[in-house]
Amino acid sequence: MINIGDKVRFLNDVGGGIVKSIKAGGLAMVEDEDGFEIPCLVDDLVAVETNEHNVDIHKFDRWHKNDKPSGSPVVSKEGATSTASMVSGKEYLQSKSPVAKEEVDENLEARVVRLEMQIAKLEARLERLEDSKAAREKEKVQAKQMRKLQKDDIIEVDLHAHEILETTAGMQPVDIKNYQLGVFNRIMQEHIKEKGRKIVFIHGKGDGVLRKAVIDELKYKYKSCEYQDASFQQYGFGATMVIIH
């Protein structure tokens, strides 16, 4: 027996709710989780939270409706004895009064409304997921473009002594060259994992000592890297471009 306040689920549909009222003709108003009151026949409800007596009655009702053979005497809820006959759904509806038929129609309409609401919710959720996916894809593309732009940007490092040293006072030429090579190796180590990175080392033309030292470092320490003379228009013969591989 379904009572007001019982927590129920729909027997022939998904979902359920709390019984708010029971009207004449066995029509119950069930409030779902969204606060909507949905009309539904009491016979189409199953109590999931009620007292033990009501649960037993529902078990008896299902046994009464489905398990008793045609023509067998059964005991009703009031204790009366009657003969039950198995009938089809069509015969059952034909046996109902016009009022009961209207209630059945209202219940079916309520189910349709409920299904339409659930479909609308699912469509809204799907739309949010698609928007989120599109946003993530856009972020990936932007990040990839940014990484490409960063790689395309050429790092320029001036190895001239006056650019990397505050003063050369007291330093021998070999000390200055070693310091310049130290700066060269530090820059290379910082970017050695950036495949495609281009670095221009400005060493000046001079007597070619620093250029030769840089080339030697590239040949023996950075064999996987490519190097060439940098743009003549920008640097003349005084710079070497390194491409990280």
Side-chain angles (χ1 to χ4, degrees), residues 1-11 17-23 26-30 40-51 53-55 57-58 61-62 65 77:
M1 181 178 180
I2 300 296
N3 295 312
I4 295 174
D6 285 353
K7 185 176 181 180
V8 298
R9 65 178 178 80
F10 302 120
L11 186 61
I18 304 297
V19 177
K20 306 303 290 185
S21 64
I22 299 177
K23 300 181 178 181
L27 187 66
M29 301 300 293
V30 180
C40 186
L41 290 177
V42 171
D43 288 343
D44 290 335
L45 299 175
V46 176
V48 294
E49 285 188 13
T50 184
N51 60 57
H53 175 69
N54 285 341
V55 173
I57 287 178
H58 280 288
D61 285 345
R62 289 194 292 274
K65 293 177 181 179
K77 297 177 185 178

Side-chain angles (χ1 to χ4, degrees), residues 165-207:
L165 286 167
E166 292 183 3
T167 178
T168 59
M171 298 181 68
Q172 298 296 320
V174 65
D175 297 326
I176 295 174
K177 186 188 73 171
N178 289 337
Y179 189 87
Q180 290 169 316
L181 289 178
V183 173
F184 166 80
N185 281 293
R186 176 173 59 80
I187 297 299
M188 288 296 295
Q189 290 300 321
E190 287 178 357
H191 301 282
I192 195 63
K193 294 182 179 180
E194 300 175 13
K195 307 301 181 185
R197 168 66 71 189
K198 296 178 181 179
I199 308 173
V200 172
F201 291 98
I202 303 173
H203 42 64
K205 184 177 179 182
D207 54 11

Side-chain angles (χ1 to χ4, degrees), residues 44-111:
D44 290 335
L45 299 175
V46 176
V48 294
E49 285 188 13
T50 184
N51 60 57
E52 184 178 358
H53 175 69
N54 285 341
V55 173
D56 289 342
I57 287 178
H58 280 288
K59 290 180 180 178
F60 178 81
D61 285 345
R62 289 194 292 274
W63 174 82
H64 170 76
K65 293 177 181 179
N66 302 322
D67 298 340
K68 292 300 291 181
S70 176
S72 299
V74 296
V75 180
S76 66
K77 297 177 185 178
E78 294 76 18
T81 302
S82 62
T83 300
S85 299
M86 300 301 291
V87 295
S88 66
K90 182 177 180 180
E91 292 172 336
Y92 172 78
L93 290 176
Q94 290 175 344
S95 68
K96 291 289 184 179
S97 65
V99 175
K101 290 180 181 178
E102 292 178 1
E103 291 173 350
V104 171
D105 291 340
E106 290 177 0
N107 188 47
L108 291 174
E109 185 177 353
R111 290 183 186 175

